[in-house]
Amino acid sequence: MTQEQSIQDSGNDDIYEQALRDRSVSLQECQKAHSLSSCMPCAEFLECPKRKEYVKAVYESLSKGQEGAFDFN
């Protein structure tokens, strides 16, 4: 991997991590607004767009945009 690729990958990591932080804050604000400590008791649990966005952001932050591969390092 060249230094340029490494810098690009680092920038991509930042994008995915920032998206995860943003979705996490949004989800926590929703939970707080509904006086919940978890999404599970919510009637919209399975269809909630905020939760779906959060799950997608978690997946993307783990895979760093690569389909089907996780980097746990």
Side-chain angles (χ1 to χ4, degrees):
M1 177 181 295
T2 68
Q3 183 177 8
E4 183 177 317
Q5 287 172 323
S6 180
I7 291 169
Q8 279 184 323
D9 289 345
S10 177
N12 287 342
D13 290 352
D14 292 341
I15 291 168
Y16 296 114
E17 294 302 317
Q18 183 61 49
L20 178 57
R21 284 190 294 273
D22 293 346
R23 298 307 178 270
S24 180
V25 167
S26 176
L27 195 65
Q28 290 171 357
E29 288 173 350
C30 183
Q31 289 171 348
K32 186 176 180 179
H34 290 94
S35 300
L36 298 171
S37 61
S38 167
C39 293
M40 290 187 72
C42 183
E44 295 183 39
F45 178 69
L46 295 176
E47 299 304 320
C48 177
K50 287 185 182 191
R51 184 176 168 276
K52 286 182 179 185
E53 288 174 7
Y54 173 75
V55 170
K56 181 179 177 189
V58 169
Y59 173 81
E60 289 175 346
S61 76
L62 290 172
S63 66
K64 306 297 182 206
Q66 302 297 316
E67 291 190 22
F70 294 108
D71 180 8
F72 293 102
N73 296 320

Coordinates of all heavy atoms in Angstrom, one line a residue:
M1 N 0.8 -1.2 0.0 CA 0.0 0.0 0.0 C 0.9 1.2 0.0 O 1.8 1.4 0.8 CB -0.9 0.0 1.2 CG -1.8 1.2 1.3 SD -2.8 1.3 2.8 CE -3.9 -0.1 2.5
T2 N 0.6 2.2 -0.9 CA 1.4 3.4 -0.9 C 0.9 4.3 0.2 O -0.1 4.2 0.8 CB 1.2 4.1 -2.3 OG1 -0.2 4.6 -2.4 CG2 1.5 3.2 -3.5
Q3 N 1.7 5.4 0.4 CA 1.4 6.3 1.4 C 0.1 7.1 1.1 O -0.8 7.3 1.9 CB 2.5 7.3 1.6 CG 2.2 8.3 2.7 CD 3.4 9.3 3.0 OE1 4.3 9.3 2.2 NE2 3.3 10.1 4.0
E4 N -0.1 7.3 -0.2 CA -1.3 8.0 -0.7 C -2.5 7.2 -0.4 O -3.6 7.7 0.0 CB -1.2 8.3 -2.2 CG -2.4 9.1 -2.8 CD -2.2 9.4 -4.2 OE1 -1.1 9.8 -4.6 OE2 -3.2 9.3 -4.9
Q5 N -2.4 5.8 -0.7 CA -3.6 4.9 -0.4 C -3.9 4.9 1.1 O -5.0 4.9 1.5 CB -3.3 3.5 -0.9 CG -3.3 3.4 -2.4 CD -2.8 2.0 -2.8 OE1 -1.9 1.5 -2.3 NE2 -3.4 1.5 -3.9
S6 N -2.8 4.9 1.9 CA -3.0 4.9 3.3 C -3.7 6.2 3.8 O -4.6 6.1 4.7 CB -1.6 4.8 4.0 OG -1.8 4.8 5.4
I7 N -3.3 7.3 3.3 CA -4.0 8.6 3.6 C -5.4 8.5 3.2 O -6.3 8.9 3.9 CB -3.2 9.8 3.0 CG1 -1.9 9.9 3.7 CG2 -4.0 11.0 3.1 CD1 -0.9 10.9 3.0
Q8 N -5.7 8.0 2.0 CA -7.1 7.9 1.5 C -7.9 7.0 2.4 O -9.0 7.3 2.8 CB -7.1 7.4 0.1 CG -6.8 8.4 -1.0 CD -7.0 7.9 -2.4 OE1 -6.6 6.7 -2.6 NE2 -7.5 8.7 -3.3
D9 N -7.3 5.9 2.8 CA -8.0 4.9 3.6 C -8.3 5.6 5.0 O -9.4 5.4 5.5 CB -7.2 3.6 3.8 CG -7.2 2.8 2.5 OD1 -8.0 3.0 1.6 OD2 -6.3 1.9 2.5
S10 N -7.4 6.3 5.5 CA -7.5 7.0 6.8 C -8.7 8.0 6.7 O -9.5 8.1 7.6 CB -6.2 7.7 7.2 OG -6.4 8.4 8.4
G11 N -8.8 8.7 5.6 CA -9.8 9.7 5.4 C -11.2 9.0 5.3 O -12.2 9.4 5.8
N12 N -11.2 7.8 4.6 CA -12.5 7.0 4.5 C -12.9 6.5 5.9 O -14.0 6.5 6.3 CB -12.3 5.9 3.6 CG -12.3 6.3 2.1 OD1 -12.7 7.4 1.8 ND2 -11.8 5.4 1.3
D13 N -11.9 6.1 6.7 CA -12.2 5.6 8.1 C -12.8 6.8 8.9 O -13.8 6.5 9.6 CB -10.9 5.2 8.8 CG -10.3 3.9 8.2 OD1 -11.0 3.3 7.4 OD2 -9.2 3.6 8.6
D14 N -12.3 8.0 8.7 CA -12.9 9.1 9.4 C -14.3 9.4 9.0 O -15.2 9.7 9.8 CB -12.1 10.4 9.2 CG -10.7 10.3 9.8 OD1 -10.5 9.5 10.7 OD2 -9.8 11.1 9.4
I15 N -14.6 9.2 7.7 CA -16.0 9.4 7.2 C -16.9 8.4 7.9 O -18.0 8.7 8.3 CB -16.0 9.2 5.7 CG1 -15.3 10.4 5.0 CG2 -17.4 9.1 5.2 CD1 -15.0 10.2 3.6
Y16 N -16.5 7.1 7.9 CA -17.4 6.1 8.5 C -17.5 6.2 10.0 O -18.6 6.0 10.5 CB -16.8 4.7 8.1 CG -16.8 4.4 6.7 CD1 -15.7 4.3 5.9 CD2 -18.0 4.3 6.0 CE1 -15.7 4.0 4.6 CE2 -18.1 4.1 4.6 CZ -16.9 4.0 3.9 OH -16.9 3.8 2.6
E17 N -16.4 6.6 10.7 CA -16.5 6.8 12.1 C -17.4 8.0 12.5 O -18.1 8.0 13.4 CB -15.1 7.0 12.7 CG -14.2 5.7 12.6 CD -14.9 4.5 13.3 OE1 -15.4 4.7 14.4 OE2 -14.8 3.4 12.7
Q18 N -17.3 9.1 11.7 CA -18.1 10.3 11.9 C -19.6 9.9 11.7 O -20.4 10.4 12.4 CB -17.7 11.4 11.0 CG -18.4 12.7 11.3 CD -18.3 13.2 12.7 OE1 -17.2 13.3 13.2 NE2 -19.4 13.5 13.4
A19 N -19.9 9.2 10.6 CA -21.2 8.8 10.3 C -21.8 8.0 11.5 O -22.9 8.2 11.9 CB -21.3 8.0 9.0
L20 N -21.0 7.1 12.0 CA -21.4 6.2 13.2 C -21.7 7.1 14.4 O -22.7 6.9 15.0 CB -20.3 5.2 13.5 CG -20.6 4.3 14.7 CD1 -22.0 3.6 14.5 CD2 -19.5 3.3 14.9
R21 N -20.8 8.1 14.7 CA -21.0 9.0 15.8 C -22.3 9.8 15.6 O -23.1 9.9 16.5 CB -19.8 9.9 16.0 CG -18.6 9.3 16.6 CD -17.6 10.3 17.0 NE -17.0 10.9 15.8 CZ -15.9 10.5 15.2 NH1 -15.4 9.3 15.5 NH2 -15.5 11.1 14.1
D22 N -22.5 10.3 14.4 CA -23.7 11.1 14.1 C -25.0 10.2 14.3 O -26.0 10.7 14.9 CB -23.7 11.6 12.7 CG -22.6 12.7 12.5 OD1 -22.1 13.2 13.5 OD2 -22.3 13.0 11.3
R23 N -25.0 9.0 13.8 CA -26.2 8.1 13.9 C -26.4 7.7 15.3 O -27.5 7.6 15.8 CB -26.0 6.9 13.0 CG -25.9 7.1 11.5 CD -27.0 8.0 11.0 NE -26.9 8.2 9.6 CZ -26.2 9.3 9.0 NH1 -25.6 10.2 9.8 NH2 -26.1 9.4 7.7
S24 N -25.3 7.5 16.1 CA -25.4 7.1 17.5 C -26.1 8.3 18.3 O -27.0 8.0 19.1 CB -24.0 6.8 18.0 OG -24.1 6.4 19.4
V25 N -25.6 9.5 18.1 CA -26.2 10.7 18.8 C -27.7 10.8 18.4 O -28.5 11.0 19.3 CB -25.5 11.9 18.4 CG1 -26.2 13.2 18.9 CG2 -24.1 11.9 19.0
S26 N -28.0 10.6 17.2 CA -29.4 10.7 16.7 C -30.3 9.7 17.4 O -31.4 9.9 17.9 CB -29.5 10.6 15.2 OG -30.8 10.5 14.8
L27 N -29.8 8.5 17.5 CA -30.5 7.4 18.1 C -30.7 7.6 19.6 O -31.8 7.4 20.2 CB -29.8 6.0 17.9 CG -30.5 4.8 18.1 CD1 -31.7 4.6 17.2 CD2 -29.6 3.6 18.0
Q28 N -29.6 8.1 20.3 CA -29.7 8.3 21.7 C -30.7 9.5 22.0 O -31.4 9.5 23.0 CB -28.3 8.7 22.3 CG -27.4 7.4 22.3 CD -26.0 7.8 22.6 OE1 -25.6 8.9 22.8 NE2 -25.1 6.7 22.7
E29 N -30.7 10.5 21.1 CA -31.6 11.6 21.3 C -33.1 11.1 21.2 O -34.0 11.5 21.9 CB -31.4 12.7 20.3 CG -30.1 13.5 20.6 CD -29.7 14.5 19.5 OE1 -30.3 14.4 18.4 OE2 -28.8 15.3 19.7
C30 N -33.3 10.2 20.2 CA -34.6 9.6 20.1 C -35.0 8.8 21.3 O -36.2 8.9 21.8 CB -34.7 8.7 18.8 SG -36.3 8.0 18.5
Q31 N -34.1 8.0 21.8 CA -34.4 7.2 23.0 C -34.7 8.2 24.2 O -35.7 7.9 24.9 CB -33.2 6.3 23.4 CG -33.0 5.2 22.4 CD -31.7 4.5 22.6 OE1 -30.8 4.9 23.4 NE2 -31.5 3.3 22.0
K32 N -34.0 9.2 24.3 CA -34.2 10.2 25.4 C -35.5 10.8 25.3 O -36.3 11.0 26.2 CB -33.1 11.2 25.4 CG -33.1 12.1 26.6 CD -31.9 13.1 26.6 CE -32.0 14.0 27.8 NZ -30.8 14.9 27.9
A33 N -35.9 11.2 24.0 CA -37.2 11.9 23.8 C -38.4 11.0 24.1 O -39.4 11.5 24.5 CB -37.2 12.3 22.3
H34 N -38.1 9.7 24.0 CA -39.2 8.7 24.3 C -39.1 8.1 25.7 O -39.7 7.1 26.0 CB -39.3 7.6 23.2 CG -39.7 8.2 21.9 ND1 -38.9 8.6 20.9 CD2 -41.0 8.3 21.4 CE1 -39.6 9.0 19.9 NE2 -40.9 8.9 20.1
S35 N -38.1 8.6 26.5 CA -37.9 8.1 27.8 C -37.5 6.6 27.8 O -38.0 5.8 28.6 CB -39.1 8.4 28.8 OG -39.3 9.7 28.8
L36 N -36.7 6.2 26.9 CA -36.2 4.8 26.8 C -34.7 4.8 26.9 O -34.0 5.7 26.6 CB -36.6 4.3 25.4 CG -38.1 4.2 25.0 CD1 -38.3 3.9 23.6 CD2 -38.8 3.3 25.9
S37 N -34.2 3.7 27.5 CA -32.8 3.4 27.6 C -32.3 2.5 26.5 O -31.1 2.2 26.4 CB -32.4 2.9 29.0 OG -33.1 1.7 29.2
S38 N -33.3 2.0 25.7 CA -33.0 1.1 24.6 C -34.1 1.2 23.6 O -35.2 1.6 23.9 CB -33.0 -0.4 25.2 OG -33.0 -1.3 24.1
C39 N -33.8 0.8 22.4 CA -34.8 0.8 21.3 C -35.8 -0.4 21.4 O -36.9 -0.3 20.9 CB -34.1 0.7 19.9 SG -33.1 2.2 19.5
M40 N -35.4 -1.4 22.1 CA -36.2 -2.6 22.1 C -37.6 -2.5 22.5 O -38.5 -3.0 21.9 CB -35.5 -3.7 22.8 CG -34.2 -4.3 22.1 SD -33.5 -5.7 22.9 CE -34.7 -6.9 22.5
P41 N -37.9 -1.7 23.6 CA -39.3 -1.5 24.0 C -40.2 -0.7 23.0 O -41.4 -0.7 23.2 CB -39.2 -0.9 25.4 CG -37.8 -0.7 25.7 CD -37.0 -1.1 24.5
C42 N -39.5 0.0 22.1 CA -40.3 0.9 21.2 C -41.1 0.1 20.2 O -40.7 -0.9 19.7 CB -39.3 1.8 20.4 SG -40.1 3.0 19.4
A43 N -42.3 0.6 20.0 CA -43.2 -0.1 19.0 C -42.7 -0.1 17.6 O -43.0 -0.9 16.8 CB -44.6 0.6 19.1
E44 N -41.8 0.9 17.3 CA -41.2 1.0 15.9 C -39.9 0.2 15.8 O -39.2 0.4 14.8 CB -41.1 2.4 15.6 CG -42.4 3.2 15.5 CD -42.1 4.6 15.0 OE1 -41.3 4.8 14.1 OE2 -42.8 5.5 15.5
F45 N -39.5 -0.6 16.8 CA -38.2 -1.2 16.8 C -37.7 -1.8 15.5 O -36.6 -1.5 15.0 CB -38.2 -2.3 17.9 CG -36.9 -3.0 18.1 CD1 -35.8 -2.4 18.5 CD2 -36.8 -4.4 17.7 CE1 -34.6 -3.1 18.7 CE2 -35.7 -5.1 17.8 CZ -34.5 -4.4 18.3
L46 N -38.6 -2.6 14.9 CA -38.1 -3.3 13.7 C -38.2 -2.4 12.4 O -37.5 -2.7 11.4 CB -38.9 -4.6 13.4 CG -38.8 -5.6 14.5 CD1 -39.7 -6.8 14.2 CD2 -37.3 -6.1 14.5
E47 N -39.0 -1.4 12.4 CA -39.2 -0.5 11.2 C -38.6 0.9 11.4 O -38.8 1.7 10.5 CB -40.6 -0.5 10.9 CG -41.2 -1.8 10.5 CD -40.5 -2.6 9.4 OE1 -40.1 -1.9 8.4 OE2 -40.3 -3.8 9.5
C48 N -38.0 1.2 12.5 CA -37.5 2.5 12.8 C -36.4 2.9 11.8 O -35.3 2.3 11.7 CB -37.0 2.6 14.2 SG -36.3 4.2 14.6
P49 N -36.6 4.1 11.1 CA -35.6 4.5 10.1 C -34.3 5.0 10.8 O -33.2 4.7 10.3 CB -36.2 5.7 9.4 CG -37.5 6.0 10.1 CD -37.8 4.9 11.0
K50 N -34.4 5.6 12.0 CA -33.2 6.0 12.7 C -32.4 4.8 13.2 O -31.1 4.8 13.1 CB -33.5 6.8 14.0 CG -34.0 8.2 13.6 CD -34.2 9.0 14.8 CE -34.7 10.4 14.4 NZ -34.8 11.4 15.4
R51 N -33.0 3.7 13.6 CA -32.3 2.5 14.0 C -31.7 1.8 12.8 O -30.5 1.4 12.9 CB -33.3 1.6 14.7 CG -32.6 0.3 15.3 CD -33.5 -0.6 16.1 NE -32.9 -1.8 16.3 CZ -32.9 -2.9 15.4 NH1 -33.5 -2.7 14.3 NH2 -32.3 -4.0 15.7
K52 N -32.4 1.8 11.7 CA -31.8 1.2 10.5 C -30.6 2.0 10.0 O -29.6 1.4 9.6 CB -32.9 1.2 9.4 CG -34.0 0.1 9.6 CD -35.0 0.0 8.5 CE -36.0 -1.1 8.8 NZ -36.9 -1.2 7.7
E53 N -30.7 3.3 10.1 CA -29.5 4.1 9.7 C -28.3 3.8 10.6 O -27.2 3.8 10.2 CB -29.9 5.6 9.7 CG -30.8 6.0 8.6 CD -31.2 7.5 8.8 OE1 -30.7 8.2 9.7 OE2 -32.1 7.9 8.0
Y54 N -28.6 3.7 11.9 CA -27.5 3.4 12.9 C -26.9 2.0 12.6 O -25.7 1.9 12.6 CB -28.1 3.4 14.3 CG -27.1 2.9 15.3 CD1 -26.1 3.7 15.7 CD2 -27.2 1.6 15.9 CE1 -25.1 3.3 16.7 CE2 -26.3 1.2 16.8 CZ -25.2 2.0 17.2 OH -24.3 1.6 18.1
V55 N -27.7 1.0 12.4 CA -27.2 -0.4 12.1 C -26.4 -0.3 10.8 O -25.3 -0.9 10.8 CB -28.4 -1.4 11.9 CG1 -27.9 -2.7 11.4 CG2 -29.1 -1.6 13.3
K56 N -26.8 0.4 9.8 CA -26.1 0.5 8.6 C -24.7 1.2 8.8 O -23.7 0.8 8.3 CB -26.8 1.3 7.5 CG -26.1 1.5 6.2 CD -27.0 2.3 5.2 CE -26.2 2.5 3.9 NZ -26.8 3.4 3.0
A57 N -24.7 2.3 9.7 CA -23.5 3.0 10.0 C -22.5 2.1 10.8 O -21.3 2.2 10.5 CB -23.8 4.2 10.8
V58 N -23.0 1.2 11.6 CA -22.2 0.3 12.4 C -21.5 -0.7 11.4 O -20.3 -0.9 11.4 CB -23.0 -0.5 13.4 CG1 -22.2 -1.7 14.0 CG2 -23.4 0.4 14.5
Y59 N -22.3 -1.2 10.5 CA -21.8 -2.1 9.5 C -20.7 -1.5 8.6 O -19.6 -2.0 8.4 CB -22.9 -2.7 8.6 CG -22.4 -3.5 7.4 CD1 -22.1 -4.8 7.6 CD2 -22.3 -2.9 6.2 CE1 -21.6 -5.6 6.5 CE2 -21.8 -3.7 5.1 CZ -21.5 -5.0 5.3 OH -21.0 -5.7 4.3
E60 N -21.0 -0.2 8.2 CA -20.1 0.5 7.3 C -18.8 0.8 8.1 O -17.7 0.8 7.5 CB -20.7 1.7 6.7 CG -21.7 1.3 5.6 CD -22.5 2.5 5.1 OE1 -22.4 3.6 5.7 OE2 -23.2 2.4 4.1
S61 N -18.9 1.1 9.4 CA -17.7 1.5 10.1 C -16.8 0.2 10.3 O -15.6 0.3 10.4 CB -18.1 2.1 11.5 OG -18.5 1.2 12.4
L62 N -17.5 -0.9 10.4 CA -16.7 -2.2 10.6 C -16.1 -2.6 9.3 O -14.9 -3.1 9.3 CB -17.6 -3.3 11.1 CG -18.1 -3.1 12.6 CD1 -19.1 -4.2 12.9 CD2 -16.9 -3.3 13.5
S63 N -16.8 -2.4 8.2 CA -16.3 -2.9 6.9 C -15.5 -1.9 6.2 O -14.8 -2.2 5.2 CB -17.4 -3.4 6.0 OG -18.3 -2.3 5.7
K64 N -15.5 -0.6 6.7 CA -14.8 0.5 6.1 C -15.1 0.6 4.6 O -14.3 0.9 3.7 CB -13.3 0.3 6.2 CG -12.8 0.2 7.6 CD -13.1 1.4 8.5 CE -12.6 1.2 9.9 NZ -13.3 1.9 10.9
G65 N -16.4 0.4 4.3 CA -16.9 0.5 2.9 C -16.7 -0.7 2.0 O -17.1 -0.7 0.9
Q66 N -16.0 -1.7 2.5 CA -15.7 -2.9 1.7 C -16.9 -3.9 2.0 O -17.2 -4.2 3.1 CB -14.4 -3.5 2.1 CG -13.2 -2.6 1.9 CD -13.0 -2.2 0.5 OE1 -13.0 -3.0 -0.4 NE2 -12.8 -0.9 0.3
E67 N -17.4 -4.4 0.9 CA -18.5 -5.4 1.1 C -18.1 -6.7 1.6 O -17.1 -7.2 1.1 CB -19.3 -5.6 -0.3 CG -20.0 -4.4 -0.7 CD -20.9 -4.6 -1.9 OE1 -21.3 -5.8 -2.1 OE2 -21.3 -3.7 -2.6
G68 N -18.7 -7.1 2.7 CA -18.5 -8.5 3.2 C -17.2 -8.7 4.0 O -16.9 -9.8 4.4
A69 N -16.4 -7.6 4.3 CA -15.2 -7.8 5.0 C -15.1 -6.9 6.2 O -15.4 -5.7 6.0 CB -14.0 -7.6 4.1
F70 N -14.7 -7.4 7.3 CA -14.6 -6.6 8.5 C -13.1 -6.5 8.9 O -12.4 -7.6 8.9 CB -15.4 -7.1 9.7 CG -16.9 -7.1 9.4 CD1 -17.6 -8.2 9.2 CD2 -17.6 -5.8 9.5 CE1 -19.0 -8.1 9.0 CE2 -18.9 -5.8 9.3 CZ -19.6 -6.9 9.0
D71 N -12.7 -5.4 9.4 CA -11.3 -5.3 9.9 C -11.5 -4.9 11.4 O -11.8 -3.8 11.7 CB -10.6 -4.2 9.2 CG -9.2 -4.0 9.7 OD1 -8.7 -4.8 10.5 OD2 -8.5 -3.0 9.3
F72 N -11.2 -5.9 12.2 CA -11.4 -5.7 13.7 C -10.1 -5.2 14.3 O -10.0 -5.1 15.5 CB -11.8 -7.0 14.3 CG -13.2 -7.4 13.9 CD1 -13.4 -8.4 13.0 CD2 -14.3 -6.7 14.5 CE1 -14.7 -8.7 12.6 CE2 -15.6 -7.0 14.1 CZ -15.8 -8.1 13.2
N73 N -9.1 -4.8 13.5 CA -7.8 -4.3 14.1 C -7.9 -2.8 14.4 O -8.6 -2.0 13.9 CB -6.7 -4.6 13.2 CG -6.5 -6.0 13.0 OD1 -6.6 -6.8 14.0 ND2 -6.2 -6.5 11.8

